[in-house]
Amino acid sequence: MDYFYEPSHGHGLKFDPFKSIVGPRPIAWISTLGKDGVPNLAPYSFFNAVSSTPPIIAFSSIGYKDTLRNVEHSGEFAWNLVSRDLADAMNLTGQAVMPDVNEFELAKLEQSPSKLIAPPRVARSLVSFECRKTQILQLETTTNRKLDTWVIFGEVVGVHIKAELLADGSYHCAATRPILRGGGWSEYFEITDEIAFHLQRASAPS
């Protein structure tokens, strides 16, 4: 027998299963600059790549937060990859603090300048994207009720990759030991070579 529920009526479980079913999810660790020039750094777990040519990424802000406000103002942001060794620092930057708080300083993280945009990057992050905003969409329900949720789309205009991650012209994903968001209050996953497997793309029958 299936467990069935209608989300509009509640799930009836301890934790919302939707966040675990659609997961684990990559993390958008987004750095921006406020109008006052104060850097902001915050993680978002509703995130992914949505286009390859040109490369465009998207992340979702549940609530009108400082990151969203900064992107609306400047039109720029940086995405920073969260590897296992940066998990605790990333977690610190997820705190709800005042806009004048610099999360780089809060988490004791060194900033690295970007080449094409103003917001700084996380110096210890093995991969960073410099992005320019393309769209910001406020989500709606099927009844056209506006939600307190916005999706920010950004075109990747610059890519920083640590040289040791490239071999024979290929990027080694597992070498960064990236972490992914699971469900519940605290579940995360780590990508390693041990869990990798390969599939050749299937071809249509001739």
Side-chain angles (χ1 to χ4, degrees):
M1 175 180 288
D2 292 340
Y3 184 85
F4 174 80
Y5 71 94
E6 298 177 58
S8 60
H9 297 159
H11 49 73
L13 301 170
K14 184 177 181 180
F15 296 111
D16 184 355
F18 175 77
K19 296 177 182 178
S20 297
I21 295 167
V22 186
R25 302 180 302 279
I27 299 167
W29 205 12
I30 303 297
S31 49
T32 56
L33 274 182
K35 288 183 180 180
D36 54 4
V38 175
N40 179 276
L41 180 63
Y44 294 85
S45 69
F46 286 167
F47 157 74
N48 221 310
V50 294
S51 171
S52 61
T53 310
I56 294 176
I57 62 174
F59 66 97
S60 177
S61 176
I62 300 174
Y64 192 80
K65 299 178 180 177
D66 295 336
T67 299
L68 172 58
R69 185 180 299 108
N70 292 346
V71 174
E72 281 187 328
H73 168 68
S74 70
E76 299 178 335
F77 64 91
W79 171 85
N80 305 275
L81 184 142
V82 184
S83 50
R84 181 65 183 88
D85 62 309
L86 289 170
D88 289 337
M90 178 275 297
N91 194 41
L92 285 173
T93 65
Q95 300 176 73
V97 296
M98 297 300 291
D100 60 350
V101 173
N102 182 340
E103 286 88 354
F104 282 90
E105 295 177 353
L106 183 68
K108 296 180 172 57
L109 289 165
E110 182 184 348
Q111 300 177 37
S112 184
S114 298
K115 290 184 177 293
L116 304 176
I117 62 173
R121 301 174 294 111
V122 176
R124 286 174 54 199
S125 186
L126 297 173
V127 181
S128 298
F129 295 158
E130 298 186 19
C131 303
R132 293 199 176 107
K133 178 200 74 178
T134 60
Q135 295 168 274
I136 296 177
L137 300 178
Q138 184 175 8
L139 298 186
E140 299 180 355
T141 67
T142 56
T143 59
N144 302 119
R145 176 173 61 88
K146 290 188 179 298
L147 300 176
D148 189 29
T149 302
W150 287 261
V151 180
I152 299 94
F153 295 85
E155 182 175 341
V156 179
V157 297
V159 179
H160 299 259
I161 306 173
K162 298 295 185 186
E164 61 266 26
L165 301 176
L166 300 173
D168 298 323
S170 296
Y171 170 75
H172 188 185
C173 175
T176 67
R177 296 179 63 195
I179 61 171
L180 311 170
R181 184 70 172 93
W185 289 109
S186 60
E187 189 173 61
Y188 287 81
F189 295 85
E190 177 186 354
I191 292 178
T192 64
D193 279 319
E194 289 73 25
I195 65 172
F197 65 96
H198 298 269
L199 288 175
Q200 300 299 320
R201 179 174 295 184
S203 57
S206 55

